[in-house]
Every structure is written in structure tokens, then in C-alpha cells.
Amino acid sequence: MLTYRGDRRERDGDRGPHGEAEGERDRGPERDQGREPLDLRDHLSFLNDATTRIGAAGDMVAIAAQFAAALVPRLGDFVSVHLLDALFVDGAPAPPAPGATASSLVRRVAVAHDEPLERWQALVPEGAVQIMHDTSPCHEAMATGVPVWLDRVTPDRAEAMALSHSPGDLYPLVAERAYLAVPLVVRGRVLGCVALTRRPGRAEFDEVDVLTVGQLAAQAALGVDNARLFRGQVATAAEFRRGVLPTTPPTLAGVEVAHRYLPANPAVEVGGDWFDTIALPGSRVAIVIGDVMGHGVRSAAVMGHLRIAVQTLAALDLPPGQLLRQLDSLALQLGDDHLATCLYAVYDPIASTCVIANAGHLAPMLVRADGRVEQVEVPSGAPIGVGGVAFDTAEIPIGDGDVLVLYTGCFEAMHQVHAA
């Protein structure tokens, strides 16, 4: 491990006959002044609480913020978390291995300290993007993939670090302070770095501190990488969804169509919901809505298969119950774990009737022209993918000015909230 002592690099082999490093000899017990004995139970409790806080955060910035907040003031007086700027770009390649990050743009995503906010807010603003200069221990840590620390940042080194910093004067933040830089590494790839400082008079960082910060950094890096991968999946599924679902309501004779997609959970923007309106012979209109169980790319892909299958079957002008039966058989060919609810209706504007078959979906609502709201009574049926079941139909009258409302699980969630 490469470490820093004072303003001089030292390797583990540069030690005296008694195991002491040059520069540490003859320092005696004063080196341990200011240190408190390690309370193992308290230490484990701290690690557990910090890990829980980091793991509970949902996105990359929130994870970094919880990570930084957990380190102050116990492990540092000032903490800054930096992530590769490329992590925030959809479609960017996977993060590089150590050694390939020296010239990478990094973004300061979280800052925590126990000093007045105005002192450092302008000097180290969150969101700032920069290239780590080779005078920075963070540069060294990201290039080597191992922690780097200084017992004391000498004035000369502080001036060198300040020369490459923008905006403001970095010198008072680092001069005469203990400094620790730990890379954020996961699956052999570097995602960024965390930097900690301690004011003069406080004990320098030791091996226990480095191991502690390293353990929390590994937890934070794993969370950041998982959040990055999840965001990539959501972006892919969203793009897929935009490509397969209608963007504007179709113009059909005898019926006016309107639709809207609004995620019930902002954290999960893409699922397996789909809808369609399909023109049929005799001015009739097929209306379909479905919901594949689950979220993300897999559900979106299954949704695409089922939507195309419904369009193909609708072109055969099958009765609603028979269409769902055929769709159920096709879903079984995709796999026995592909389940979806689906409601298929055929509206005849000339006869003012609507024939509906249901495969486990939520019953539609009917808003009459006079303002009355009715829940349509339709057989519930089994979800698509169960196999070997029949789908009964119901026929309801729909007059001029009536509105038939089909929806997915958000209405069910709202009903649960109101019931509670």
C-alpha cells in the first residue's frame, strides 16, 4: 500500500529495524495523543448505522450524501465525495479500472463538514466538475485503486494542491491538516473518490480509520453502481416503451380516444402497462389495456410481445373471449413466469354496445352523460399466462356522451389509500 507521511511518499518496506517508518522514529508516545481507545461495540454500531443510511438511499447523489454525512464528525471534519461525471450520462460505457481515471472528469456530488456553511460553500460547491490534478491525493487514489493519506499537509504541498483548484483558495482547507483519500471501487472499477481532512490538533488517520472508511466506501460504491445500472435499465425500458406505445390518440369514427401514462411510483417509471385502440370492420373499435407483472426492461419486453400479439389477433376479428384465450396460449410459449392482466373490449357505435372480456384486470368505470359513475360488472377471469382457462364476456350499453374508463393498478393503489 502506498501511503503519505508528511510531504514524502513511503512504501511499506521503508521501515527501520523495529518496524517503524522513517519519520516516525523517536516520536514516542506523543504520536498517540488525542486518540481514544477503540470501543468495539461502539465501532460496530457506527458501521451498522452508517451502512444502513447509505443502503437506504435511492440514487447516486443521495447515496453519496448519506456516505459523506456518516463520516462527519466521527472520521473527518470535512468530507467531499467525487464521482466520475460519465456516471451521469445515459449510455456511457462502464466505469474504468484503476489507472484509467487520472484524466477523467469528476463531479463533486456531496460535501459534509462541521464548520460554518459559508466558509466552504463557495470554495467547494456541490455539482462542480473538474479533473483531479496530479498533486491531489484523490488523483493518486483513483489511479492506484488504494487509499492514500497524509499525516500532515505541509505548506508547500497545500500550495501545490491549491494551484490546480478552482474556484477560491483551497489552501486553508488542507494546510496543516491530516488528509485521507479513499477510492470508490466496485467490481474492479473506479467510480470516484472520497476525501477527508482533520483539523490540526486532532489525531492523524491511522489504519483503523482507513479500513473503516474503506468499508463504507465499498458499500457506497456498490450502491452507486447498482443505482447507475438501474437507471440505465429504466432508460432502456423507457425508450423501448416510447417506441411501442401510441404517442397520440388515433382518430376513429364514432369514438373519441384519450390516454395518459402516469407512474404511480416516481422511483419506478417504467413497467409493463400497455394500451391500444384498433379499428375493426363495421366502424367498430377494439380497446385493450394490460399490465405485465413486474417492472423494468423484462416487463417492458414481455409487454411488447403481448401488445403485438393482441394487434395480430384483433386483425382476425375474434370475439373478445376467444381473443384472450389465444393470447393466453401465446403467453405460455414465452415462458411459464410471464403473467399479465388484460381487458379487451369491442365497442360498436352503431349498436351503442360494448362487449368486454377480462383476464384478471381491474373492472372499468363508466361515466354516464348525466355524470353518474358506475363500475362495470365483468367476469374477473384469470391472468394471461395461467393457461387452460376460459374467458367469459359481458355486454353493456354505452350511449352518446358516455365515457368508458380503463386503467391499470394506480386506481387500485388510490382505493387502498382511501380505504386505510
Side-chain angles (χ1 to χ4, degrees):
M1 176 183 294
L2 178 64
T3 64
Y4 283 88
R5 296 298 180 190
D7 194 38
R8 179 187 53 81
R9 298 184 184 182
E10 162 204 302
R11 297 192 179 274
D12 289 343
D14 299 335
R15 296 186 176 274
H18 301 291
E20 78 278 16
E22 183 180 352
E24 294 180 5
R25 302 172 196 169
D26 303 324
R27 293 180 62 180
E30 69 274 6
R31 180 174 177 82
D32 294 325
Q33 290 179 358
R35 300 192 189 279
E36 296 181 358
L38 178 65
D39 185 326
L40 183 58
R41 181 176 299 178
D42 176 66
H43 186 71
L44 292 176
S45 177
F46 163 74
L47 285 176
N48 180 68
D49 292 343
T51 301
T52 300
R53 290 174 60 180
I54 296 169
D59 59 63
M60 294 189 291
V61 174
I63 291 169
Q66 289 297 329
F67 176 38
L71 299 178
V72 176
R74 184 180 182 109
L75 289 166
D77 303 314
F78 174 89
V79 173
S80 180
V81 180
H82 305 261
L83 296 178
L84 295 178
D85 193 55
L87 298 179
F88 297 89
V89 179
D90 291 335
T101 60
S103 60
S104 299
L105 287 174
V106 294
R107 183 183 303 186
R108 186 185 299 109
V109 293
V111 173
H113 53 82
D114 60 355
E115 299 185 6
L117 179 63
E118 60 274 9
R119 177 167 183 171
W120 304 122
Q121 191 171 30
L123 180 60
V124 284
E126 292 181 346
V129 178
Q130 65 184 108
I131 295 178
M132 289 291 183
H133 195 268
D134 57 10
T135 58
S136 169
C138 274
H139 178 281
E140 180 85 20
M142 293 175 64
T144 62
V146 296
V148 176
W149 75 93
L150 292 75
D151 288 343
R152 182 178 69 91
V153 180
T154 65
D156 289 345
R157 185 166 186 100
E159 289 179 359
M161 294 170 64
L163 286 176
S164 62
H165 181 79
S166 177
D169 183 11
L170 186 69
Y171 184 90
L173 177 58
V174 296
E176 302 297 335
R177 298 193 180 206
Y179 196 108
L180 170 62
V182 177
L184 302 181
V185 183
V186 64
R187 304 180 180 101
R189 298 185 178 275
V190 175
L191 307 184
C193 182
V194 57
L196 300 84
T197 69
R198 286 179 177 175
R199 288 186 290 267
R202 187 173 178 182
E204 303 115 356
F205 295 102
D206 60 15
E207 286 77 6
V208 174
D209 298 325
V210 176
L211 289 174
T212 301
V213 176
Q215 182 174 347
L216 296 179
Q219 176 72 24
L222 180 61
V224 167
D225 199 44
N226 287 340
R228 176 187 68 87
L229 294 173
F230 177 74
R231 194 184 66 168
Q233 291 178 346
V234 170
T236 300
E239 185 64 27
F240 179 83
R241 182 182 185 83
R242 284 190 293 269
V244 300
L245 291 184
T247 56
T248 57
T251 301
L252 300 169
V255 62
E256 182 178 347
V257 179
H259 58 74
R260 185 182 185 189
Y261 176 71
L262 183 65
N265 182 359
V268 184
E269 297 185 358
V270 179
D273 311 69
W274 90 93
F275 56 90
D276 249 324
T277 50
I278 306 165
L280 298 176
S283 299
R284 293 172 302 137
V285 178
I287 307 169
V288 58
I289 190 166
D291 186 1
V292 177
M293 296 183 182
H295 298 281
V297 176
R298 177 179 175 278
S299 294
V302 174
M303 174 269 289
H305 285 298
L306 296 181
R307 178 174 183 258
I308 293 172
V310 171
Q311 291 175 336
T312 303
L313 294 171
L316 301 176
D317 200 9
L318 299 174
Q322 186 176 344
L323 182 143
L324 290 185
R325 182 66 180 268
Q326 293 295 326
L327 183 65
D328 183 53
S329 298
L330 290 172
L332 289 175
Q333 298 177 21
L334 296 176
D336 56 6
D337 59 344
H338 291 61
L339 296 178
T341 63
C342 182
L343 189 143
Y344 184 83
V346 175
Y347 171 61
D348 187 339
I350 298 176
S352 297
T353 59
C354 186
V355 179
I356 304 174
N358 188 17
H361 201 76
L362 300 169
M365 306 296 290
L366 185 60
V367 182
R368 295 294 184 182
D370 60 7
R372 291 179 294 113
V373 179
E374 305 171 4
Q375 185 173 38
V376 179
E377 297 294 333
V378 295
S380 59
I384 297 297
V386 171
V389 297
F391 299 97
D392 296 327
T393 61
E395 182 175 326
I396 62 171
I398 298 183
D400 293 342
D402 291 347
V403 178
L404 182 66
V405 182
L406 285 71
Y407 49 89
T408 54
C410 58
F411 273 69
E412 183 181 49
M414 291 171 59
H415 175 73
Q416 292 173 349
V417 171
H418 287 304

